[in-house]
Amino acid sequence: MRFMVIVKADKNSEAGVMPSKELLTDMGKFNEELVNAGVMLAGEGLHPTSKGARVKFSGGKTTVIDGPFAETKELVAGFWIWQCKSREEAIEWLKRAPFEDTEVEIRQVFEAEDFGAEFTPELREQEARIREQVQAKQ
């Protein structure tokens, strides 16, 4: 099972304040543990929303809204993609993260089999081709 681990933003991350050397060191060690255990597939921090945009789709129209965005508690500061045997395993790994005073969300990533019969063999082939193309460009 794959899980997206979503690190919530706070006033510092939204202000563009960089983490301390100590936190970067601790996070580097934690990420190495995740990689060595075969858990971490990807992970990145995100720039503040002041450098971002939202695109809204409604009534056949698209609207671009430039950041920054309000409600810091609803914003994302970074993420990981983890491969774990279960949600419980992902939670156990997350409990070891070197965080203080933050909130992190874990969400399972859909797999092809989760979509049932609606995900036809043709759609499965298309997804496999897309994944191959993405991996070839990395």
Side-chain angles (χ1 to χ4, degrees), residues 19-44:
S20 68
K21 179 180 176 184
E22 180 183 359
L23 180 56
L24 289 172
T25 300
D26 291 346
M27 193 58 68
K29 289 177 186 175
F30 180 62
N31 285 340
E32 281 185 334
E33 286 181 52
L34 292 168
V35 168
N36 291 337
V39 171
M40 185 171 155
L41 302 177
E44 303 294 339

Side-chain angles (χ1 to χ4, degrees), residues 10 99-103:
D10 62 20
F99 289 125
E100 287 186 28
D101 301 320
T102 194
E103 185 174 308

Side-chain angles (χ1 to χ4, degrees), residues 2-22:
R2 289 179 301 152
F3 293 87
M4 180 175 226
V5 181
I6 304 163
V7 181
K8 301 291 182 123
D10 62 20
K11 65 180 181 176
N12 288 329
S13 64
E14 275 300 290
V17 175
M18 292 291 111
S20 68
K21 179 180 176 184
E22 180 183 359

Side-chain angles (χ1 to χ4, degrees), residues 112-132:
E113 55 274 7
D114 296 329
F115 292 101
E118 298 298 319
F119 198 54
T120 64
E122 294 81 18
L123 291 172
R124 290 173 191 263
E125 279 183 31
Q126 179 187 41
E127 181 177 311
R129 276 195 318 274
I130 291 168
R131 286 183 190 270
E132 287 176 16

Side-chain angles (χ1 to χ4, degrees), residues 5 18 26 32 38 46 54 59 68 71 81 85-87 92 125-126:
V5 181
M18 292 291 111
D26 291 346
E32 281 185 334
L46 301 174
R54 288 183 177 163
E71 291 299 321
I81 301 291
K85 294 180 183 94
S86 66
R87 177 176 161 266
E92 287 306 312
E125 279 183 31
Q126 179 187 41

Side-chain angles (χ1 to χ4, degrees), residues 14 48-56 63-70:
E14 275 300 290
T49 62
S50 60
K51 295 183 177 184
R54 288 183 177 163
V55 180
K56 181 179 179 178
T63 306
V64 177
I65 305 152
D66 291 325
F69 307 120

